Amino acid sequence: MSEPGTPANPLRVAIVGSGPAGFYAAEALLGAAAATQVDMFERLAAPFGLVRSGVAPDHPKLKQAIQVYQQIALSPGFRFLGNVTVGRDIAVGELLNCYHAVLFACGAQTDRPLGVPGEYLPGSHAATEFVGWYNGHPDYRDVEFDLSHDTAMVIGQGNVAMDVCRILAKTADELRHTDIAAHALEVLAESRVREIYLVGRRGPAQVKFTHPELRELGDLADCDPVVDPRDLVLNPASRQELANRANRAAIKSYEVLQAFAARTARPRRRRCHIVFLRSPIELIGDGRLQRVLLMQNRLVGEAGHQTAEAAGGIEQIDCGLLFRSIGYRGVAIPGVPFDDRRGVIPNRDGRVMDGASVVPGLYVSGWIKRGPTGIIGTNREDSVLTVEALLADLPRLDVRPRPGTDGALALLRTRGVRVVDFADWREIDAAEIRHGQAAGKPREKFTRLTEMLDAIGN
Ligand code: NAP
């Protein structure tokens, strides 16, 4: 039997996950071998992963990537199998019987824990929950956020923390014409939050959010950014970091922070305090969050490798709402090796590893491969590299012809799984866009599976 990739024996690959890494892997596969069939499995009925349910509603330009993914989805050789959970509805071993290779591009679905007492008190939430909630992700449809408190705190200074902060800081009118979920807009419109703390464990030279996002915080309708100029005094190693022209992004962010510190306070209903060198050491409350104890830090180590170390001083901030935004984490899939410490599938150049051995036929790309870093486009290069590894392995893979979609669908049918294909999704998509029009929004997302299924065939 010849290598797969011929009309008699098409290369059949299952991709698990329909976010950027999955679509870029599909694009690379479909462009590489003449006879290739790519089936993309997605646990939700809607594709596009974090581009749909992670990117902030007020950043529509970032969602334009969806247009590229739609083109890929319409390529011959591509099938979308939505509403299928791999590891539950179909086992990884069963996929390997149906496909020559399985490529996991399922991202990082959960959050990293802070590891401090009181972390899970009511009122303390993972940023991932809030992001999913305002973006209409069905898993978070019924999470309740109590925005009746005066003070909210966001722990972490990456772009997710910045998104959370901005959504808390914006007025309902600033969000009304975005694709924010209606249930979230309703709650945010009644928000009584006035003071928002954006708390970083390291200094102003080490922030992870990027300067365009930071700058946006200075242009909000009813919120003023607050930076204490004393917090911008740098230690010698941080000065050295910012003197390095290769650190352009950090230099620009520092300049924006300086501009915020120099501003005269404007009369605004809300303020966003950007504070540095602070780590939460305890969340306190009687039955729900009431106060946060913050430890003051100092930076230790060489330029470029500085870490935060407790410096001794402790302060207390009254606060009823807290978001932990210190990074995402991947979730293990039954039957696939998992590195629990890093929250990724262990791999070498995209080949899944079990200890020192390569697991034949299993590949990985995106956040579940390298951890939760980079922008949408970072996943293209990452997926191309994984697909190169997969194609290079073809001579060594089990080359017998596989049943592909027919085999997988037969199994799913016996288990009563209602598979949502791309034509179904396009009907859901059209219905969402229609519903949004009435409210002047680009779309009104369905937030429950039943609503999505009801939209098919109407
Ligand atoms: P991130 O960029 O890695 O930021 C995580 C933040 O959490 C950092 O400030 C980090 O500080 C802090 N942190 C980590 N562990 C901590 C701890 N134990 N205690 C206190 N703070 C801690 O992660 P992210 O914000 O989740 O974003 C994930 C990726 O998505 C990033 O690449 C991001 O750029 C991207 N993204 C982009 C956009 C956009 O383009 N607009 C929007 C959202 C997300 P240290 O630096 O000290 O570790």
Side-chain angles (χ1 to χ4, degrees), residues 156-160 163 201-202 208 213 325-326 367 372-374:
Q157 290 186 333
N159 275 330
V160 172
D163 284 348
R201 66 178 169 181
R202 297 195 290 159
K208 289 267 177 65
E213 279 71 14
S325 183
I326 62 168
W367 279 8
T373 58

Side-chain angles (χ1 to χ4, degrees), residues 352-394:
V352 174
M353 303 295 293
D354 190 1
S357 316
V358 171
V359 184
L362 296 191
Y363 297 85
V364 66
S365 107
W367 279 8
I368 194 68
K369 170 188 180 185
R370 65 175 196 276
T373 58
I375 57 173
I376 293 171
T378 314
N379 296 296
R380 174 176 243 137
E381 194 187 339
D382 191 347
S383 292
V384 165
L385 289 173
T386 293
V387 167
E388 279 172 8
L390 188 159
L391 296 173
D393 289 349
L394 284 187

